Amino acid sequence: MTAPRSSPGGAGAPRGSYPRRRVRYFVLMGICLVLFVSAWGFVRFWSVPAAIAMCVVAMVIPPAAVIVGNRRDAEDRWWDEGGP
């Protein structure tokens, strides 16, 4: 008999900040996609400078999303912390 495997976010996954970090990351990336698609989908018909500004804002979001998604919360155990 094999030991049950747990995947991130699965039933055996530890509860903590990992799901919250994933949600924050995907919300920011969703905002990025909405800005980019709407800028060139329909905003450019009314204002090209506004569409360009939306794309510049969308360009800044992915690095910020990575930083937010990888930020350690106060209750997270880190690799250098000892003890069970």
Side-chain angles (χ1 to χ4, degrees):
M1 191 163 151
T2 61
R5 289 189 274 173
S6 64
S7 61
R15 295 177 193 232
S17 68
Y18 180 71
R20 281 185 299 220
R21 290 186 293 168
R22 282 185 57 168
V23 167
R24 291 178 196 153
Y25 175 79
F26 285 117
V27 165
L28 285 170
M29 292 306 291
I31 291 170
C32 176
L33 285 173
V34 167
L35 282 171
F36 185 74
V37 169
S38 63
W40 297 113
F42 56 88
V43 173
R44 68 184 168 105
F45 295 125
W46 290 285
S47 174
V48 172
I52 292 171
M54 289 172 70
C55 283
V56 168
V57 171
M59 178 181 70
V60 174
I61 291 175
V66 169
I67 292 169
V68 168
N70 288 317
R71 185 175 47 201
R72 181 181 111 161
D73 286 340
E75 69 269 2
D76 285 345
R77 291 198 52 211
W78 209 242
W79 64 273
D80 59 350
E81 291 179 357

